[in-house]
Amino acid sequence: MTHSSHRLVTMRLPKDLISQIENSARAQDMAPAEIIRTALTDALMKGAASIPTRLTQRVAITRAFDLADGWLDLQTQLRALGFVLRHDPDGKLSLNEWPSNQHLCKLEEIGQSQTELTTRYRAPFPGLQPEAAHMPVFRSKRTSGMSSAA
C-alpha cells in the first residue's frame, strides 16, 4: 500500500513573483499552488543540474547576510562566494557576480531589504549619499550669514 504525504511548506517569495504566479494561475484556470508544483516538477524532471547549484548558492548568500556584522564583512563574505553588492543607477543595491560584475538581481529579489540592512549596520551602503539611501539628513539649527547690528 503506497502512502502519499503532503507537508505544508512556507516560503517567502518576492511580491512580483507572487503576482506572476497569480496571473499565470488565472490565465490557466488553475490554483496558484498547482502552478508552483507544476513549475517545480517540470524543472526538476528536466534534470536541471543548475537548480541544486543555485539552491546551494542561495543558502550560502542568505547565510552571509545573516552572519555579517557590517557592510565590509558582508562584501567580504559575498566575494568569497563569487558575488558582490553594487549600486544600481536608481540608488538601489543589486547582487552582481564577482569579478565579472554582471548584474544578477536586485537585493529585494533575494529577500533582503536595503533599509533593514542600513538600520542594522547603522550606516548606508558605502558610496551612497544619505538622500539616496533614504536616510534622514539632520541639519543644524544654527543659521549662517546673520549679521550683528552695529
Side-chain angles (χ1 to χ4, degrees):
M1 181 174 184
T2 58
H3 173 55
S4 170
S5 69
H6 295 277
R7 292 189 329 175
L8 179 62
V9 176
T10 303
M11 297 186 328
R12 289 178 52 195
L13 300 173
K15 289 179 184 178
D16 61 329
L17 180 57
I18 292 170
S19 179
Q20 290 174 355
I21 292 167
E22 289 171 343
N23 291 339
S24 182
R26 270 193 298 278
Q28 298 179 47
D29 196 28
M30 297 171 70
E34 189 59 34
I35 293 291
I36 294 168
R37 276 192 294 274
T38 301
L40 288 173
T41 301
D42 288 350
L44 293 171
M45 294 300 286
K46 290 179 183 173
S50 63
I51 289 176
T53 301
R54 279 187 261 158
L55 289 175
T56 301
Q57 288 175 337
R58 182 76 179 249
V59 168
I61 290 167
T62 299
R63 183 171 168 79
F65 277 95
D66 290 345
L67 296 177
D69 61 8
W71 291 114
L72 180 59
D73 185 30
L74 179 58
Q75 286 286 60
T76 301
Q77 290 188 46
L78 290 174
R79 280 191 182 183
L81 298 169
F83 302 99
V84 66
L85 294 178
R86 293 287 186 236
H87 296 127
D88 279 348
D90 61 359
K92 299 285 184 182
L93 289 178
S94 65
L95 184 69
N96 293 15
E97 284 184 337
W98 176 258
S100 71
N101 212 30
Q102 180 182 358
H103 173 84
L104 297 173
C105 64
K106 293 200 179 278
L107 199 60
E108 293 80 20
E109 293 175 38
I110 56 171
Q112 301 297 327
S113 164
Q114 183 172 338
T115 302
E116 288 175 13
L117 290 170
T118 297
T119 301
R120 182 170 144 197
Y121 299 148
R122 298 182 183 155
F125 185 77
L128 283 181
Q129 296 301 317
E131 293 85 3
H134 307 289
M135 296 285 292
V137 176
F138 299 103
R139 305 216 187 272
S140 171
K141 289 185 178 183
R142 284 196 248 156
T143 57
S144 59
M146 290 179 60
S147 59
S148 58

